[in-house]
Amino acid sequence: MFPRPIQQSGKGVQWLYTFALPVALVIWLFPLLGVALTSLRPASDLAQGNYFGMPSGIAWENYVYIFTETPIGQYMVNSLWVTIPTVIGAVTLSLMTGFALAVYGFRGNILVFFMFVAGNFVPFQILMVPVRDMTLQLGMYDTWYGLALFHIAFQTGFCTLFMRNFIKALPFELIEAARVEGVAEWRIFWFIVLPLMRPAIAALSVLVFTFIWNDFFWATVLTQGVDSQPITAGLSSLNGQWIAQWHLVSAGSILAALPPVAMFFLMQKHFIAGLTLGAVK
Amino acid sequence: MSQAADAGAVVPARRTSKRWNQRTLAPWLFLAPGLFMFTVYVLWPIVQSITLSFYDWNGLYNADGDFTGTFVGARNYAELMTDPAFETSLWNNLKWLVLYMAALPIGLFIAIFLNQTVRGIRLYKSLFFFPFVISQVVVGLIFAWFYAPNFGLFYLLTETITGKGTAILANPDLVTYGIIAAGLWPQIAYVVILYLTGLNNVAPDQIEAARLDGAKGWRMLWYVVLPQLRPATFIAVIVTVIGALRSFDLVSIMTSGGPFGSSRVLSYYMYEMALGEFGFRMGYGAAIAVVLFAIMMIFISGFIWKMWRDETER
């Protein structure tokens, strides 16, 4: 193990380490803690310049305010309308593409695979004008499905990379044995491979959920109104209206951050398994 | 009898050919939906953008639904050469790329710091990952608050140290560094995740053997641990480069490219040209996007080349 386990060090070092951990964490999360505290500070405190002193009270009303006086609830719902179909769509498509690329040695296999991988790294701006134009032409501009369809397509690249490598690591004898038995290819996919894919599906679902929930660029390019804008774009436009009302900006930020954070804590193992794909061999 | 023998010979043959067909067709059927979506939304738009970069187009169609752009050859690119805003963006992109690499050593350092088995360490690790999970929009707002003039913590800090507060987002010379620092926060968290997993998989026997040989500290890290962390480092470099070149969100939230356009990057400048207040210069925007794409292609090719090597080695 590297570094040497702290238990092998002297008492003083061990004591120092247990002390350093929380200190480092507080420094690391300082900006976030500050915003979290500001979101609960009454507006009157800020007006009087009391930014970091004792708050005069805990102002849950900041949260009540953004829910009742701004469309932030609607933005959150819109985000779900984009995020959930994208997760389902991208995972479904990539299960199939990943299976095809992992199991069949057809000509052009590696080419198709690399295309998915490369497409995944492309800067968004090279897609922006044509995708926006196409979405407009199809009458899907400013709708949740217009945005979700793009996300499904783009995420399929990353998900295919993941699924293909995952299936490749499964014991191939399973598939060969089924073929000898004369099992049809789609049945092999459905009854043999799919049941083994649960961990991969879980990992990709949390990852794609987080990516899409946090997407800002495409939300700006493909939506504009309260009826379809996701929380990231919504928060940005609210920020424009709340000039320097930091208690509101903070409350909105915390709210927007909450779903992916909750997802991360609930599914941590899967989340990290997804992110570190390829980091170890 | 010969008929029976014939039949016996024919049946397996037909069966294998049917099987063969199924196995040639199956991959393409499985690929079809994903490949279709990917082609329509990713591959084809790249071709369209490259074409569009040779046109002058305001994004509109005439009453008959015809494209209204005019072919201008390489004029968009020629204009880029003399466009000071483009030059600023390109320089800023370079700053992003270089400074973002700081995420690797810092991330490695934090990962080594956290790679212990003490009580509650799992919770500590998750809390260190936190910044990576939240949206860049939120990160941008958090740092805008942190940097805010007069009461922001950073401002107060500089005021205490130098006697005069620095409003970093209003200073054309410093603004880009301020945004990069904000971007580094989640990026470091990502690198920490990668290196922690990597450290978990470092072969313990090699570490022990090196320890017996008297290696420790920096020498151990450099000669024994880092070589084993190479896969993690590789992924970390890739995601950091992508992160640096995708710096749209933070720039848009924190400064909108200002003050005086000094914090623009290519991704943001492209958006400004094509959809921003400067009007709908789609062709010019596309040309900027092509330049960004070309820069990214250098890294993509490297990645694909390495993958190809790994695949063929297997």
Side-chain angles (χ1 to χ4, degrees):
Chain A
M1 195 174 156
F2 184 85
R4 190 184 284 273
I6 199 88
Q7 285 82 356
Q8 293 174 18
S9 311
K11 265 273 169 302
V13 178
Q14 284 194 41
W15 186 85
L16 195 70
Y17 186 70
T18 32
F19 176 73
L21 265 179
V23 173
L25 183 67
V26 169
I27 295 173
W28 180 241
L29 293 182
F30 208 74
L32 186 63
L33 293 173
V35 165
L37 292 178
T38 306
S39 77
L40 291 171
R41 200 175 267 278
S44 54
D45 278 21
L46 300 184
Q48 287 160 16
N50 177 10
Y51 285 97
F52 301 106
M54 272 302 283
S56 60
I58 295 181
W60 294 108
E61 65 259 27
N62 294 342
Y63 285 91
V64 175
Y65 178 90
I66 57 171
F67 266 111
T68 51
E69 303 297 316
T70 73
I72 204 144
Q74 180 68 41
Y75 289 138
M76 301 274 276
V77 173
N78 294 342
S79 270
L80 284 179
W81 270 105
V82 175
T83 309
I84 292 172
T86 304
V87 170
I88 297 171
V91 168
T92 310
L93 290 185
S94 61
L95 275 169
M96 295 195 288
T97 50
F99 177 77
L101 293 171
V103 169
Y104 302 94
F106 58 93
R107 190 201 300 234
N109 179 314
I110 206 87
L111 203 74
V112 175
F113 177 54
F114 283 168
M115 207 187 57
F116 277 120
V117 177
N120 189 39
F121 297 140
V122 155
F124 294 150
Q125 283 70 24
I126 192 105
L127 312 177
M128 185 186 99
V129 174
V131 166
R132 182 174 176 276
D133 191 44
M134 180 169 68
T135 308
L136 275 165
Q137 301 275 322
L138 294 172
M140 298 194 299
Y141 180 74
D142 205 19
T143 63
W144 64 267
Y145 46 90
L147 187 51
L149 275 178
F150 169 78
H151 280 315
I152 291 173
F154 194 82
Q155 293 302 322
T156 297
F158 170 73
C159 295
T160 299
L161 165 68
F162 189 98
M163 292 293 191
R164 183 262 192 191
N165 287 355
F166 192 93
I167 299 176
K168 208 120 209 187
L170 296 175
F172 195 68
E173 298 80 55
L174 277 175
I175 293 163
E176 274 184 334
R179 277 185 180 156
V180 171
E181 297 287 323
V183 180
E185 298 296 313
W186 72 268
R187 288 175 144 261
I188 294 179
F189 172 71
W190 191 258
F191 292 108
I192 297 174
V193 174
L194 207 55
L196 297 172
M197 296 302 286
R198 266 197 218 132
I201 294 173
L204 276 183
S205 300
V206 271
L207 271 188
V208 173
F209 181 92
T210 314
F211 290 164
I212 303 306
W213 183 278
N214 289 342
D215 162 71
F216 174 62
F217 182 74
W218 292 103
T220 327
V221 171
L222 295 180
T223 61
Q224 62 182 171
V226 170
D227 295 331
S228 60
Q229 257 184 346
I231 182 78
T232 43
L235 189 60
S236 161
S237 56
L238 284 176
N239 181 43
Q241 297 163 27
W242 291 334
I243 302 158
Q245 299 195 59
W246 285 100
H247 55 294
L248 299 181
V249 177
S250 306
S253 301
I254 295 294
L255 209 62
L258 227 46
V261 165
M263 199 61 139
F264 171 68
F265 266 99
L266 292 175
M267 312 269 289
Q268 207 186 120
K269 201 184 77 195
H270 295 299
F271 192 94
I272 290 173
L275 272 184
T276 49
L277 154 96
V280 285
K281 257 244 186 81
Chain B
M1 213 171 92
S2 73
Q3 267 180 337
D6 277 347
V10 164
V11 170
R14 193 190 286 153
R15 214 201 213 160
T16 40
S17 86
K18 187 185 156 205
R19 268 299 198 63
W20 186 84
N21 274 331
Q22 202 190 12
R23 253 188 247 173
T24 348
L25 201 61
W28 294 105
L29 289 178
F30 279 114
L31 276 174
L35 206 53
F36 172 76
M37 288 291 283
F38 204 70
T39 311
V40 169
Y41 272 107
V42 181
L43 301 178
W44 182 236
I46 295 175
V47 178
Q48 282 181 304
S49 273
I50 294 172
T51 319
L52 195 59
S53 70
F54 297 102
Y55 282 83
D56 189 21
W57 185 42
N58 60 6
L60 299 177
Y61 293 87
N62 68 16
D64 301 326
D66 298 323
F67 178 72
T68 58
T70 44
F71 184 78
V72 293
R75 217 176 298 162
N76 285 327
Y77 292 96
E79 192 182 334
L80 280 182
M81 293 299 146
T82 56
D83 181 350
F86 175 74
E87 202 187 315
T88 312
S89 312
L90 205 57
W91 270 113
N92 281 340
N93 262 90
L94 195 68
K95 286 182 198 164
W96 273 84
L97 264 177
V98 172
L99 293 176
Y100 241 48
M101 287 301 150
L104 276 98
I106 301 174
L108 178 63
F109 176 79
I110 296 178
I112 290 173
F113 174 67
L114 289 176
N115 193 33
Q116 293 289 349
T117 43
V118 298
R119 256 171 90 87
I121 194 74
R122 279 197 48 174
L123 185 65
Y124 276 111
K125 286 180 186 169
S126 344
L127 289 170
F128 266 90
F129 300 164
F130 232 90
F132 176 70
V133 186
I134 56 189
S135 159
Q136 298 247 318
V137 172
V138 175
V139 172
L141 290 174
I142 290 176
F143 271 80
W145 171 85
F146 186 63
Y147 291 146
N150 299 323
F151 68 89
L153 283 175
F154 181 82
Y155 183 90
L156 294 175
L157 198 71
T158 50
E159 201 171 33
T160 328
I161 296 170
T162 64
K164 191 174 169 297
T166 309
I168 198 166
L169 295 184
N171 183 331
D173 297 325
L174 298 177
V175 60
T176 296
Y177 302 106
I179 306 176
I180 294 174
L184 273 173
W185 192 45
Q187 192 63 38
I188 291 170
Y190 194 173
V191 175
V192 171
I193 304 181
L194 293 171
Y195 274 131
L196 267 176
T197 318
L199 283 171
N200 242 332
N201 287 277
V202 165
D205 47 332
Q206 287 193 31
I207 302 284
E208 287 317 314
R211 232 166 236 159
L212 289 179
D213 288 340
K216 55 184 175 189
W218 288 106
R219 292 176 60 87
M220 172 77 102
L221 178 66
W222 189 256
Y223 292 107
V224 184
V225 178
L226 271 184
Q228 293 197 54
L229 288 178
R230 268 172 81 172
T233 305
F234 180 72
I235 302 283
V237 170
I238 295 288
V239 296
T240 305
V241 167
I242 297 174
L245 291 177
R246 274 193 187 158
S247 40
F248 176 88
D249 297 10
L250 288 175
V251 173
S252 169
I253 291 290
M254 293 174 76
T255 63
S256 305
F260 320 116
S262 55
S263 63
R264 279 186 183 123
V265 287
L266 288 180
S267 56
Y268 188 76
Y269 187 45
M270 184 275 164
Y271 175 83
E272 257 186 324
M273 280 295 131
L275 294 178
E277 50 195 300
F278 295 97
F280 282 34
R281 295 194 63 193
M282 300 292 175
Y284 196 58
I288 302 170
V290 170
V291 173
L292 186 59
F293 178 66
I295 298 172
M296 195 79 105
M297 255 342 253
I298 303 170
F299 297 98
I300 298 178
S301 322
F303 184 71
I304 294 290
W305 181 73
K306 192 205 172 250
M307 272 189 96
W308 184 77
R309 226 180 33 184
D310 289 354
E311 287 292 327
T312 44
E313 259 174 25
R314 239 179 242 170

